[in-house]
Amino acid sequence: MKTPKTNPIDTPSVYVCAGLVSGAGALLLNVLPVLFGAFAERFGLGEQQLGNLAMAMNLGFGAFGLASLLWIHRLSWRVISALSSALVAGAIMFVLRDPSYEALLAIMALAGAGTGALYALAMTIFGDSSQPERAFGFKLGIETVPGAFLLIVLPVAVAPVWGFDGMLITIAIAMVVMGILPLPWVPRRSERRLEVSGTAVRIASTESRIIVWLSLVASLVFLTGIMSVWAFLELMGKKTGLASDTIGMVLALGFLINAGGGFIASAIGLKVGRFMPVAVIILAELLGLVALAQFSSLVTYVAGVICFLFSIGFVLAYTFGVMAEFDLSGELVALGALCLSLGAAFGPAIGGVLIEAFGYSSVLWFSGVCSVAVLAIYGAAVMRAQLTFQRIRVSGTVVMSGL
């Protein structure tokens, strides 16, 4: 009797090391408030110039996330991670030379390209898992921890002692530590893609692609709604009279709560199905938005932020998970990086327009509508997945993981 082959992705060492690679891909986005605050002070940049830098970084991130479809399965995963991490670290270190604003735009675009490649790579690695919901839950949890750590350490411990240069060097070192040092424990290529290509009978490609694209759209809509509020959480707190240091501590706590959401999704997996956990957490997120709309004290602000941020890693674990399971080519899952980029670009822009025109409550309504839409889109994807598995069971042609 043959022993079932263990998926090389589903091991603790790969989860941790590939999670660190994913953390490297998300690092600049996670520390952006601190980094841009330092840029503003060092180079005398205004809000519009900082916004342009963020746009340049997101464009680079999204462009390389999309371009990864061309080479993500043609090059060694270890080579991709090493080169991308070196690109980001080199771009960050080049800022130490006090470049012009135009050069800084190009630098941020290059740094965004490197992080986009890293994030697309991590999406592909975890997409190879035989238990994608659990894998993506762990990924989304662990990738948040380094960013939360640096958000606290950079302004409190690094900047007061080593200044602006020390902050940049710390970020560059973090990129090397997360994107290069763990590579001996990261697979060189996809095993799942080879197995799928050799399978004689598979799910109809049209049906699988519909499920994948529904999941991608759900992820994009969710991220757009989330980012439309995330960008203005500090201003919402200040508007009600909370101190900046208090808000900073709340947001740092919320960042860690976000990581906890991913880890909890990883622990739950498919034990209670795909749809019910997402529905419950989106309901909690909506309650958080209500609390943020009506808060008049620190307690309600904290409750709103925690409910709101907890949902991010949890919901994305499931939308990315169903996408990965039905991405038979193993290629489209990398587009999760593009979803993150577009959500980070469009969400704050839409939020800013709504706030200026109708006030802060309007952006909370927008985020809530996005979440309800996500539940409908994701529900359609899950329903199609269930029908697909039912047809498979009847025909007995292929066996995949259950719902």
Side-chain angles (χ1 to χ4, degrees):
M1 182 177 178
K2 290 185 178 179
T3 302
K5 183 179 178 182
T6 303
N7 190 329
I9 299 299
D10 293 313
T11 60
S13 60
V14 174
Y15 271 29
V16 172
C17 294
L20 290 174
V21 171
S22 186
L27 187 64
L28 292 187
L29 285 173
N30 289 343
V31 303
L32 204 60
V34 172
L35 183 63
F36 275 14
F39 277 8
E41 184 176 343
R42 177 65 171 257
F43 301 109
L45 303 178
E47 285 81 0
Q48 183 176 353
Q49 290 175 309
L50 292 172
N52 290 337
L53 290 178
M55 180 64 72
M57 189 182 76
N58 277 307
L59 287 175
F61 190 103
F64 263 61
L66 181 60
S68 67
L69 298 179
L70 302 175
W71 40 259
I72 202 76
H73 288 295
R74 291 179 172 83
L75 298 177
S76 165
W77 285 349
R78 297 178 184 178
V79 170
I80 294 171
S81 185
L83 292 178
S84 301
S85 300
L87 173 62
V88 179
I92 291 298
M93 292 300 292
F94 194 82
V95 178
L96 295 174
R97 303 183 63 177
D98 290 334
S100 65
Y101 175 68
E102 290 74 17
L104 200 55
L105 285 170
I107 290 169
M108 293 307 296
L110 287 174
T115 53
L118 286 167
Y119 204 84
L121 173 63
M123 290 290 298
T124 304
I125 294 173
F126 282 96
D128 259 27
S129 169
S130 298
Q131 301 172 308
E133 279 79 9
R134 297 189 67 179
F136 278 108
F138 188 89
K139 169 194 175 296
L140 291 160
I142 197 171
E143 76 183 25
T144 307
V145 175
F149 176 74
L150 287 182
L151 275 177
I152 298 172
V153 169
L154 288 176
V156 173
V158 176
V161 179
W162 292 287
F164 178 77
D165 292 1
M167 290 179 61
L168 295 185
I169 292 171
T170 301
I171 293 173
I173 292 174
M175 289 300 306
V176 172
V177 169
M178 292 190 292
I180 297 179
L181 294 187
L183 293 184
W185 294 272
V186 174
R188 288 186 174 87
R189 60 187 174 87
S190 170
E191 295 288 343
R192 176 181 176 230
R193 189 168 184 259
L194 294 176
E195 292 173 1
V196 170
S197 65
T199 302
V201 181
R202 64 183 68 180
I203 298 173
S205 60
T206 301
E207 184 67 21
S208 66
R209 283 181 176 271
I210 290 174
I211 296 171
V212 170
W213 283 108
L214 283 172
S215 303
L216 277 169
V217 171
S219 302
L220 175 59
V221 173
F222 181 70
L223 282 165
T224 301
I226 289 294
M227 295 303 294
S228 69
V229 173
W230 164 251
F232 302 100
L233 277 178
E234 182 177 3
L235 292 176
M236 290 179 190
K238 288 181 177 179
K239 184 174 180 290
T240 316
L242 297 180
S244 296
D245 56 346
T246 301
I247 296 171
M249 291 300 296
V250 172
L251 295 183
L253 172 63
F255 222 58
L256 294 175
I257 293 294
N258 174 31
F263 289 131
I264 291 174
S266 178
I268 294 174
L270 299 180
K271 293 176 183 177
V272 291
R274 277 194 162 112
F275 184 78
M276 185 57 66
V278 174
V280 170
I281 296 304
I282 283 185
L283 176 60
E285 182 216 346
L286 294 176
L287 293 176
L289 291 173
V290 171
L292 288 173
Q294 300 179 354
F295 82 90
S296 56
S297 67
L298 178 61
V299 174
T300 51
Y301 181 73
V302 170
V305 167
I306 288 176
C307 290
F308 176 73
L309 294 180
F310 178 83
S311 69
I312 302 175
F314 193 101
V315 173
L316 289 177
Y318 283 89
T319 59
F320 285 162
V322 71
M323 172 181 62
E325 183 157 358
F326 284 87
D327 180 18
L328 302 180
S329 67
E331 294 177 348
L332 294 178
V333 69
L335 292 179
L338 183 62
C339 290
L340 180 62
S341 170
L342 294 177
F346 292 132
I350 294 172
V353 171
L354 289 174
I355 290 170
E356 288 190 3
F358 306 105
Y360 283 99
S361 61
S362 63
V363 75
L364 298 173
W365 272 101
F366 172 76
S367 184
V369 170
C370 285
S371 294
V372 173
V374 166
L375 197 57
I377 299 167
Y378 176 73
V382 170
M383 184 178 297
R384 296 188 77 104
Q386 290 173 334
L387 293 174
T388 298
F389 280 128
Q390 288 174 4
R391 287 196 295 268
I392 291 170
R393 292 190 189 99
V394 171
S395 63
T397 55
V398 66
V399 178
M400 293 181 70
S401 60
L403 286 165

